Amino acid sequence: GQTVAGLARGRRGDVVGVCVAGEGGAHTLGAALVVDASGAASRRTRWLGESGRSADVPETVVPSPWQYVSRWVHLPPSHAPDWHCLTIAPAADGRMRAAMMLRAEHDRWGVVLLCPSGTPMPMDEAMFAAFVAPLGDGVLADTLRHARPLSPVHRYGHTHNRVRHLDRLEHWPR
């Protein structure tokens, strides 16, 4: 229920925690060490720039030709397979489609479907089933027949890998 709004700074500009905002208002959460694990959406370069120091961070981008969709499903124990993970690699038929299904807790399973960028991705129940039907030996399609969707189909377009070289910053705050 809270969002990090920025870095909390001490008198000498050193990082002493984070500023958070939420339903209860804004306050500072002190910390001896701050770790930003927010991924690609991180605002850390902006926060570092707010200290008055340059936050121009060199970046290396490795493009990926893939896109994917994912969703959560519920599978009753009576229809759960004896495996924990099923991976279907792209076949030699030229369609370059792949999938993965992973067991989680409380009879939930994550399903990921992959294909090359620019290929139409499934966004509803019928398209999801049609995408899965020809994959592999049919095990995934058969398993999903007994599953109940727990989430909508979420589409992820760009899957580029990025490395932000924060180690190259000239003035890293204490």
Side-chain angles (χ1 to χ4, degrees):
Q2 296 183 346
T3 301
V4 174
L7 300 174
R9 300 289 183 155
R11 281 177 239 179
R12 295 183 309 249
D14 48 331
V15 176
V16 296
V18 293
C19 302
V20 295
E23 295 175 13
H27 64 281
T28 299
L29 181 62
L33 175 68
V34 175
V35 176
D36 177 10
S38 54
S42 173
R43 291 177 263 167
R44 79 181 145 257
T45 53
R46 187 183 86 209
W47 297 336
L48 290 170
E50 290 170 357
S51 69
R53 296 180 171 143
S54 173
D56 292 331
V57 178
E59 185 175 80
T60 301
V61 178
V62 180
S64 169
W66 293 94
Q67 63 180 344
Y68 68 99
V69 297
S70 69
R71 76 170 338 164
W72 288 98
V73 298
H74 176 268
L75 199 58
S78 59
H79 288 96
D82 60 355
W83 40 264
H84 289 273
C85 177
L86 173 68
T87 303
I88 301 172
D93 63 7
R95 287 186 291 182
M96 293 303 293
R97 294 180 172 190
M100 183 169 33
M101 185 169 175
L102 296 154
R103 184 186 300 253
E105 63 277 340
H106 308 295
D107 305 320
R108 294 179 187 185
W109 295 73
V111 182
V112 179
L113 307 178
L114 298 101
C115 69
S117 294
T119 304
M121 293 296 294
M123 293 308 298
D124 61 28
E125 300 302 318
M127 291 173 71
F128 203 87
F131 186 102
V132 168
L135 296 178
D137 58 3
V139 171
L140 179 60
D142 290 340
T143 303
L144 289 176
R145 281 191 205 26
H146 303 286
R148 176 177 48 87
L150 294 175
S151 74
V153 177
H154 296 284
R155 183 179 185 277
Y156 302 90
H158 297 289
T159 58
H160 302 323
N161 295 293
R162 298 181 183 282
V163 176
R164 292 188 178 103
H165 299 282
L166 293 166
D167 58 310
R168 297 182 189 166
L169 280 178
E170 285 186 36
H171 302 287
W172 191 255
R174 290 180 16 153

